[in-house]
Amino acid sequence: MTPDLSWQDHAACIGHPGDLWFPTGTNGGWGDRYADARAICNGCPVINECAQMAADIPWGMWGGLTPEERGFDPHTGGKIGARALARSEEASCRERV
């Protein structure tokens, strides 16, 4: 059975360039690379549906969440453990200060 993706018709990202959600390069760290996409996602009426759909997708921003925030190593695409995720979030917070 094909999942119902009709909610995507209401997504705030429609009409924006896809590279905002799938950036390349490492200028400014991971958080900065997704800043514009996160701002659009934060005002999206279907942010929760998007995040749920993409829980197992290891790349790009979905539902306002980066790969790291969904539990993936953004470099390898592999799942990272809870302890490694906590360390990466701590490092990300230090980058923003």
Side-chain angles (χ1 to χ4, degrees):
M1 185 165 108
T2 305
D4 178 14
L5 300 177
S6 61
W7 58 266
Q8 291 180 341
D9 295 339
H10 306 285
C13 58
I14 292 175
H16 292 279
D19 61 347
L20 292 176
W21 288 268
F22 302 95
T24 58
T26 58
N27 295 342
W30 290 101
D32 293 339
R33 293 168 20 134
Y34 288 107
D36 292 337
R38 189 179 306 274
I40 295 166
C41 288
N42 284 341
C44 184
V46 293
I47 191 170
N48 293 329
E49 291 88 339
C50 185
Q52 289 172 355
M53 182 208 65
D56 295 324
I57 299 175
W59 57 85
M61 174 168 277
W62 295 87
L65 302 172
T66 66
E68 284 180 314
E69 291 165 341
R70 291 193 312 277
F72 292 95
D73 181 320
H75 302 289
T76 67
K79 277 284 193 178
I80 55 179
R83 184 173 290 156
L85 182 59
R87 283 195 306 267
S88 69
E89 288 174 348
E90 183 179 309
S92 177
C93 289
R94 283 195 303 265
E95 286 178 7
R96 290 182 238 165
V97 177

